[in-house]
Amino acid sequence: MSAQTPLGSSIPLRPTGSSTAQHFPRLFEPLELGRVTLPNRIIMGSMHLGLEEFDDGPARLAAFYRERAASGPALIITGGVSPNEAGRLTAKERPLTSEQDLARHRPITEAVHQAGGRIALQLLHAGRYAAHPGLVAPSPIQAPISPLTPRELTDADIERTIDDYAHAARLALQAGYDGVEIMGSEGYLINQFTAPVTNRRTDRWGGSLDNRLRFPTEIVRRVREACGEGFIIVTRVSMLDLVQGGSTVDEVIELARRVESAGTNLINTGIGWHEARVPTIAATVPRAAFAWVTKRLMGAISVPLIAANRINMPAEAEQVLEEGAAHLVSLARPFLADPEFVAKARAGTPWRINTCIACNQACLDHAFAGKPASCLVNPRAGRETELAIDPALTPRRIAVVGSGPAGLACATTAASRGHRVTLFEAAADLGGQLNLALKVPGKSEFRETLRYFTNRIHETETELRLGHRATPEDLADFDEVVIATGVTPRSPEIPGLDHPSVVSYVDVLRHGAAVGERVAILGAGGIGFDVADYLTDEHPAAPSDIGAFLAHWGVDPEQPDGFAATGPSPDVPRRSVIMLQRKDTKLGVGLGKTTGWIHRAELARRDVLMIPGAEYLSIDDAGLTVRAGEQVRTLEVDTIVLCTGQDPDRTLFDELAAAGREALLIGGAFIAGELDAKRAIEQGTKLGASL
Ligand code: NAP
Ligand code: SF4
């Protein structure tokens, strides 16, 4: 395999020349911060892992943070912890309110310090976003994303809440934290005070700008008072609310000035409230798309500013600093994807980084579903104590057949443990279904996953046999055979299915089959939505044009509140598309919690017609005839794309079984239903770690 195989990744597959930290000089410049010196400009941003509530949570979190600290970020910020009962996100969250709570935090701070790192506790009061009956807010206004109405805080409640922040920060100091981050963005309590849309108070906490900014300013002042000068205070400021009636840029600058005067050391960037209907971290957002927001504050205040959102590789991070958009960068999900992110950047080997592809599937979608967070491309994340990848006691010869996500993960994990692994792939290129995914608008980041695994194959000395369909004879001499041959598209039984207008999603995405102007898509799972997106998107290429992205979602950097006066730029769909499914439910309900709304909004803007409860009657020259409810109608379409699920491809497995050979099945070849890259990589990694 060539060292320079062009995969379309944003970075070379392997070194093209010298590789030293000089590639990222600004990222690795130390920063004086009061009494401490940060060794570089990379902050590991806050991620709630969902382990915090478990009895063994402290040990698991300690292991998680220890690995990340060892790589050398300037500062780690934990997931949010409430300073009191009312501010908890959920009823099961443990707030930080007394010395009895310290025992759960000390293992974490000790682990980070032993690894040579620094860690700050994030203090997060959810306000009206809390999902329990005790929720409170400055005004009793229900959030559009919550079924609950908050109780209005009294003046005494507000004073007590500020004291709770200071008390929790003091406890954090006792627990060994190097600082706190005061979470003032994403629409949580502090935002609910600062923005007029959620603060209708007429007392000293509402109305004028002075009054609305009093709450965050007082919190910072009292935290500084409680914790002294050596303690790091980061304030996360919502620099762009992206909700109607949110703060203006002048108000944001004024808030930054006040928290600076009150004693904050750093100001971090928050973009968009949770209820905002503009994507801010999804894969459709170009890398570093919101650095301009932080840049608006550069020069207006003296404390260092941290840029955030979709900065997932060292090159983008360096560019943000080089363009003078911020003094530091914050990356959260990229540290789930690769604990060694900083070490690999420092060594000048960014091609070794397992890149966060911004899918949200195993991190935020889990968090919002109340499940522990992990990572699609790194299933060890959050499972450091249970998924060990140790050297094999007895190295063996292992064959893995199929180089989709399951096969790639299994082969490289097993080989990294010292097994001699041969990976067979019938196609001319690696990746299996990953090659389909990366064609979909907003999913080009999958190229980085392919680049990462290609390097792992090289690093682990996995023998690769591309373009070779493995036979039982090829597999005769191996100690263990793993079948990861994937899936074949399912063909439903419809009269006329052999009509030339019928193609499968593989024909479209992989083989570039011709598709007419009028299209019916049968099946509305993840792939049906992806194909609809692909066929209607005006610009189905990689999302890299920040200006076009902002205009598409109606964001205008020139406007005080960031909203374009003319709204989102109009869509010109490339085709007329109808999506159908047999179930009588709304289409797309099973899509990811944090990204499904983006898919549905995009397709609605492109006038994609959705038909549930369809019975497919026939296909002929007139089009597709269906019964939906009482009505039978013929949809006059040029092309019918089958996205009707998959069946396991077990041809080789069955041949081996017939010859009396045992083999292990993983990925789609094991179970095709509900298969996605998350489950495939997890299953492959676990098997590779256990062989
Ligand atoms: P899927 O989610 O199972 O959807 C299959 C679709 O085909 C369903 O809409 C189903 O709806 C229909 N169908 C199933 N059997 C059929 C039959 N015999 N005749 C006619 N229609 C039939 O599968 P997928 O869309 O192929 O996706 C595969 C996996 O990849 C899924 O787990 C999916 O979550 C994952 N994926 C995820 C994403 C993402 O963005 N997170 C993107 C792409 C894929 P009816 O039975 O109601 O007709
Ligand atoms: Fe990034 Fe996806 Fe992993 Fe989350 S699950 S950290 S978005 S790659």
Side-chain angles (χ1 to χ4, degrees), residues 233-407:
I233 301 179
V234 186
T235 306
R236 183 130 169 227
V237 169
S238 181
M239 295 193 193
L240 189 66
D241 294 338
L242 293 176
V243 293
Q244 300 293 344
S247 300
T248 64
V249 59
D250 290 342
E251 291 176 342
V252 170
I253 291 172
E254 187 53 35
L255 169 62
R257 287 190 177 128
R258 291 188 189 201
V259 293
E260 175 180 5
S261 305
T264 202
N265 299 100
L266 290 162
I267 292 182
N268 197 358
T269 302
I271 305 285
W273 293 14
H274 285 313
E275 66 205 63
R277 279 299 166 254
V278 176
T280 55
I281 56 167
T284 45
V285 180
R287 292 181 181 183
F290 291 100
W292 58 272
V293 182
T294 315
K295 193 174 184 179
R296 295 197 295 195
L297 272 69
M298 290 289 277
I301 53 168
S302 305
V303 294
L305 286 157
I306 308 168
N309 287 53
R310 282 289 279 130
I311 301 170
N312 66 342
M313 286 298 278
E316 281 73 30
E318 179 75 9
Q319 196 180 342
V320 167
L321 302 184
E322 190 175 322
E323 288 174 356
H327 303 94
L328 302 101
V329 288
S330 170
L331 295 74
R333 296 173 298 171
F335 278 93
L336 287 176
D338 196 332
E340 297 176 55
F341 183 98
V342 180
K344 290 173 182 175
R346 191 191 299 107
T349 55
W351 53 86
R352 298 191 59 234
I353 290 174
N354 195 1
T355 304
C356 165
I357 59 172
C359 64
N360 288 353
Q361 279 177 248
C363 54
L364 290 173
D365 283 348
H366 278 208
F368 283 108
K371 293 195 288 188
S374 186
C375 174
L376 179 144
V377 299
N378 173 25
R380 268 196 87 239
R383 301 182 180 118
E384 285 73 12
T385 53
E386 61 197 60
L387 182 47
I389 300 180
D390 297 326
L393 294 177
T394 318
R396 289 182 295 156
R397 288 207 64 203
I398 296 172
V400 178
V401 185
S403 76

Side-chain angles (χ1 to χ4, degrees), residues 361 443 490-494 505 522-530 580-584 590-592 595 599 614 616 643-646 672-677:
Q361 279 177 248
K443 293 201 172 176
R490 181 182 297 139
S491 285
E493 288 182 11
I494 306 172
Y505 69 89
L522 308 195
I527 291 177
F529 269 81
D530 277 354
L580 304 101
Q581 71 177 22
R582 297 172 305 172
K583 282 186 290 293
D584 203 8
L591 297 174
T595 50
H599 286 290
Y616 310 127
C643 301
T644 45
Q646 296 97 13
E674 308 281 305
L675 178 82
D676 58 14

Side-chain angles (χ1 to χ4, degrees), residues 2 11 17 31 33 69 94 120 149-150 166 188 202 294 324 353 377 407 428 487 513 626 642-643 684:
S2 156
I11 55 171
L31 179 74
L33 199 67
R94 297 176 194 240
T149 302
Y188 292 119
T202 52
T294 315
I353 290 174
V377 299
V487 293
V626 296
L642 302 178
C643 301

Side-chain angles (χ1 to χ4, degrees), residues 181-195:
E181 175 173 80
I182 295 165
M183 175 49 152
S185 67
E186 321 312 280
Y188 292 119
L189 182 69
I190 288 179
N191 272 162
Q192 294 157 29
F193 271 92
T194 53

Side-chain angles (χ1 to χ4, degrees), residues 89-237:
L89 276 163
T90 63
K92 67 177 183 178
E93 184 188 321
R94 297 176 194 240
L96 180 55
T97 54
S98 86
E99 293 195 0
Q100 285 173 350
D101 302 323
L102 298 183
R104 293 187 64 78
H105 290 269
R106 285 197 172 116
I108 298 167
T109 55
E110 282 163 13
V112 169
H113 292 153
Q114 277 162 11
R118 283 195 179 87
I119 184 162
L121 180 83
Q122 188 187 72
L123 292 176
L124 185 160
H125 190 304
R128 70 176 189 160
Y129 280 169
H132 57 75
L135 71 171
V136 295
S139 301
I141 304 169
Q142 186 183 347
I145 54 171
S146 169
L148 305 169
T149 302
R151 177 179 70 78
E152 181 174 292
L153 289 160
T154 64
D155 183 86
D157 290 333
I158 296 170
E159 284 291 345
R160 225 176 358 255
T161 303
I162 297 169
D163 284 340
D164 290 341
Y165 271 94
H167 183 229
R170 180 77 204 168
L171 290 171
L173 175 64
Q174 279 175 255
Y177 287 104
D178 301 279
V180 288
E181 175 173 80
I182 295 165
M183 175 49 152
S185 67
E186 321 312 280
Y188 292 119
L189 182 69
I190 288 179
N191 272 162
Q192 294 157 29
F193 271 92
T194 53
V197 67
T198 43
N199 185 345
R200 304 270 167 77
R201 300 181 73 95
T202 52
D203 61 2
R204 64 191 177 119
W205 305 104
S208 68
L209 182 62
D210 262 352
N211 285 351
R212 283 183 280 122
L213 301 188
R214 179 166 290 125
F215 183 67
T217 312
E218 267 303 290
I219 290 171
V220 176
R221 194 183 65 72
R222 286 191 217 174
V223 167
R224 173 60 72 212
E225 212 172 72
C227 298
E229 283 307 311
F231 197 63
I232 299 171
I233 301 179
V234 186
T235 306
R236 183 130 169 227
V237 169

Side-chain angles (χ1 to χ4, degrees), residues 613-664:
E615 185 187 346
Y616 310 127
L617 299 178
S618 63
I619 297 167
D620 53 29
D621 289 347
L624 169 72
T625 302
V626 296
R627 180 182 290 120
E630 298 300 305
Q631 202 190 0
V632 172
R633 57 198 275 211
T634 297
L635 307 173
E636 293 175 9
V637 292
D638 311 306
T639 308
I640 296 162
V641 187
L642 302 178
C643 301
T644 45
Q646 296 97 13
D647 295 315
D649 181 350
R650 293 189 187 157
T651 316
L652 180 59
F653 181 80
D654 291 342
E655 282 172 22
L656 288 171
R661 291 283 315 275
E662 281 189 8
L664 298 158

